[in-house]
Amino acid sequence: MPAKSRFTRLDAFTKTVEDARIRTTSGGIVTIVSLIVVLYLAWGEWSDYRRIVIHPELIVDKGRGERMEIHMNITFPKLPCELLTLDVMDVSGEQQHGVLHGVKKVRLQPASQGGGVIDVTALSLHGKDETALHLDPDYCGPCYGAPAPGNAIKSGCCNTCDEVREAYAQASWAFGRGDGVEQCLREHYSEKLDEQRHEGCRIEGAIRVNKVIGNFHFAPGRSFSNGNMHVHDLKNYWDSPVRHSFEHEIHQLRFGPQLPEDVTRKHAKNSPWTNHHINPLDEVKQITDDPNFNFMYFVKVVPTAYLPLSWKSSGYNQGADDEVWLGTLGNAVDGSMETHQYSVTSHKRSLAGGDDAAEGHQERMHARGGIPGVFFSYDISPMKVINREERAKTFTGFLTGLCAVIGGTLTVAAAVDRGVYEGATRLRKLQSKNL
């Protein structure tokens, strides 16, 4: 018999000799069942450890001087592109009149003809063969009392109809159809404008704005600032033989990049992210025949970040926003994303004023006057939502759960085996007494 060690009395796992052990059929069955249960529960622990969940956090947005992108795809079936203007302005004083960079105007056939896209070669109102390029090199067209625009082809001159219109807009003058303007007569501006009266227009693309309270809107005619007032030249809109209106359909409107489809599918079942990232204005359609109608959308924008499992904090250079290509702002090389969710409240009214008696709300009164169009006013939330990918449990938690599964299953199996063995033994004793 081996000598006893000083640790012998500390042994909590006492042993029995092999001759004192009894193996039974019921014990074998319990052992097989317990092993199956252990394997099944261990696989569940492993799957739970490998599972990635989205952990939402709410923090105060401490970003400064940031910019954001607004992506849009909106159709106006009863308004030609030549009359449609996109303007952006915010509380910082920045204004963007007649936005063209990053945005495409797509001329559409009338709805009665299917509303298809007109051939790309017909997308320009002023053809290249009708501009001043073929005129005498010394030609200097008049600007009719307005100062020549800074972007004129020839400094100090207005050689095209577009340059005259730009000069009038900078001088805060209404332009109209260009009657009596030789450049517009040469380019047949009024005739082409009348040809497009029945067309529709689709605005698609993205604009970059300051991350402050502001608005962007679609309104008829060239826009310009007159003192502290924002004014549109509505002459061509009002004096039209065709009845225009701001009936529209918003195919898509989002603030920032969209979460990739593969990430959306991966978290579709166990994450609230996909529900949060639905853009509430997508596929919204507003119908009206009234040219004096105004649609307003009041948008609450919530900054939102998506951080994948591989993300590591390396800081974000806010000063580089303007150096990023339009349409890619918010996407990082490590897979993280800075975007925005939003909620919206809509309102519409006739510029003629009056009440909503036709809708059963006679007590609801509307102000008179304004500009027809579609207006989006957005406000930025001071809070930021961070959706962070995390493991459902740590590796330590996985080991702890695995030990609990094995220990708990074997303990229960031992108790079951003991109960079956004791019951069988007592049953045999009772049967032997009866004999």
Side-chain angles (χ1 to χ4, degrees):
M1 185 174 181
K4 291 185 178 181
S5 167
R6 68 179 64 181
F7 296 106
T8 302
R9 58 181 143 182
L10 300 177
D11 186 7
F13 306 99
T14 56
K15 285 80 177 175
T16 57
V17 296
E18 186 68 28
D19 295 339
R21 296 176 183 173
I22 301 175
R23 300 182 186 276
T24 62
T25 303
S26 60
I29 296 174
V30 171
T31 301
I32 294 174
V33 172
S34 63
L35 286 176
I36 295 174
V37 171
V38 166
L39 291 175
Y40 176 76
L41 296 179
W43 175 255
E45 287 290 323
W46 172 254
S47 300
D48 197 29
Y49 166 66
R50 297 292 300 171
R51 184 167 56 92
I52 298 175
V53 297
I54 296 292
H55 178 65
E57 304 173 16
L58 187 64
I59 64 172
V60 175
D61 189 3
K62 298 180 181 179
R64 299 187 305 275
E66 295 181 358
R67 293 173 70 83
M68 67 178 180
E69 289 183 351
I70 303 175
H71 300 256
M72 63 190 73
N73 190 331
I74 307 175
T75 295
F76 298 87
K78 297 182 179 179
L79 195 66
C81 288
E82 180 62 20
L83 293 181
L84 191 60
T85 301
L86 168 61
D87 296 328
V88 183
M89 55 191 66
D90 59 45
V91 295
S92 71
E94 179 176 307
Q95 297 188 15
Q96 302 178 43
H97 296 284
V99 177
L100 293 176
H101 177 65
V103 176
K104 293 191 299 183
K105 287 183 177 181
V106 182
R107 285 173 55 195
L108 304 176
Q109 295 176 348
S112 59
Q113 300 178 15
V117 176
I118 297 177
D119 187 71
V120 177
T121 57
L123 291 179
S124 176
L125 183 70
H126 311 286
K128 291 183 178 180
D129 57 335
E130 295 172 337
T131 62
L133 299 179
H134 67 286
L135 298 177
D136 190 304
D138 296 328
Y139 173 77
C140 181
C143 296
Y144 299 90
N151 59 350
I153 298 176
K154 190 172 183 179
S155 179
C157 304
C158 294
N159 288 356
T160 66
C161 183
D162 228 17
E163 290 179 355
V164 178
R165 296 176 65 216
E166 184 67 26
Y168 268 56
Q170 291 182 6
S172 301
W173 297 347
F175 182 77
R177 294 168 53 86
D179 296 331
V181 178
E182 64 172 276
Q183 294 91 328
C184 297
L185 293 175
R186 182 180 64 240
E187 298 174 16
H188 307 288
Y189 172 75
S190 59
E191 291 87 342
K192 289 199 171 185
L193 179 61
D194 290 337
E195 290 176 4
Q196 296 183 14
R197 289 290 188 182
H198 295 275
E199 295 178 1
C201 187
R202 184 168 71 240
I203 302 292
E204 55 186 36
I207 56 176
R208 188 170 295 176
V209 299
N210 294 320
K211 200 172 175 180
V212 295
I213 298 174
N215 79 82
F216 64 96
H217 59 266
F218 302 91
R222 285 273 183 126
S223 61
F224 50 87
S225 295
N226 189 353
N228 294 327
M229 297 181 61
H230 180 74
V231 184
H232 283 260
D233 181 3
L234 303 178
K235 184 174 178 58
N236 284 333
Y237 182 76
W238 296 130
D239 300 341
S240 171
V242 179
R243 189 179 180 88
H244 299 304
S245 75
F246 272 88
E247 177 178 323
H248 62 278
E249 181 176 0
I250 304 174
H251 305 290
Q252 184 185 64
L253 182 69
R254 54 186 172 89
F255 293 76
Q258 186 80 21
L259 196 67
E261 289 295 328
D262 57 336
V263 178
T264 303
R265 288 193 299 268
K266 182 171 67 173
H267 299 296
K269 294 183 178 180
N270 57 0
S271 170
W273 169 267
T274 50
N275 293 330
H276 287 173
H277 207 62
I278 291 176
N279 303 311
L281 282 177
D282 287 0
E283 307 304 329
V284 169
K285 188 173 184 179
Q286 298 281 9
I287 299 176
T288 182
D289 289 324
D290 187 355
N292 305 320
F293 219 77
N294 180 293
F295 296 91
M296 291 171 284
Y297 298 94
F298 301 94
V299 181
K300 279 286 187 179
V301 180
V302 181
T304 305
Y306 171 76
L307 306 180
L309 194 63
S310 58
W311 177 83
K312 294 182 180 179
S313 178
S314 57
Y316 179 66
N317 184 10
Q318 305 291 354
D321 279 357
D322 289 329
E323 301 174 8
V324 180
W325 286 98
L326 186 63
T328 60
L329 183 64
N331 292 296
V333 294
D334 59 2
S336 62
M337 180 180 294
E338 294 283 342
T339 184
H340 303 83
Q341 306 171 55
Y342 69 92
S343 62
V344 62
T345 302
S346 62
H347 179 69
K348 58 185 178 181
R349 69 180 180 91
S350 172
L351 302 184
D355 56 31
D356 286 341
E359 299 179 6
H361 298 282
Q362 189 173 358
E363 74 285 354
R364 188 185 300 165
M365 303 295 295
H366 294 293
R368 184 184 180 88
I371 299 176
V374 180
F375 294 76
F376 297 86
S377 298
Y378 54 88
D379 191 3
I380 311 298
S381 171
M383 307 304 293
K384 182 176 183 177
V385 177
I386 298 180
N387 291 297
R388 190 190 305 271
E389 279 189 354
E390 294 181 347
R391 295 283 186 190
K393 59 172 59 179
T394 63
F395 185 69
T396 304
F398 164 69
L399 292 179
T400 302
L402 188 62
C403 292
V405 164
I406 296 174
T409 304
L410 294 182
T411 300
V412 172
V416 171
D417 178 60
R418 185 69 181 178
V420 172
Y421 175 73
E422 291 291 342
T425 303
R426 290 178 179 273
L427 187 60
R428 283 196 297 270
K429 288 183 178 179
L430 289 175
Q431 289 177 348
S432 62
K433 287 182 180 181
N434 293 334
L435 295 174

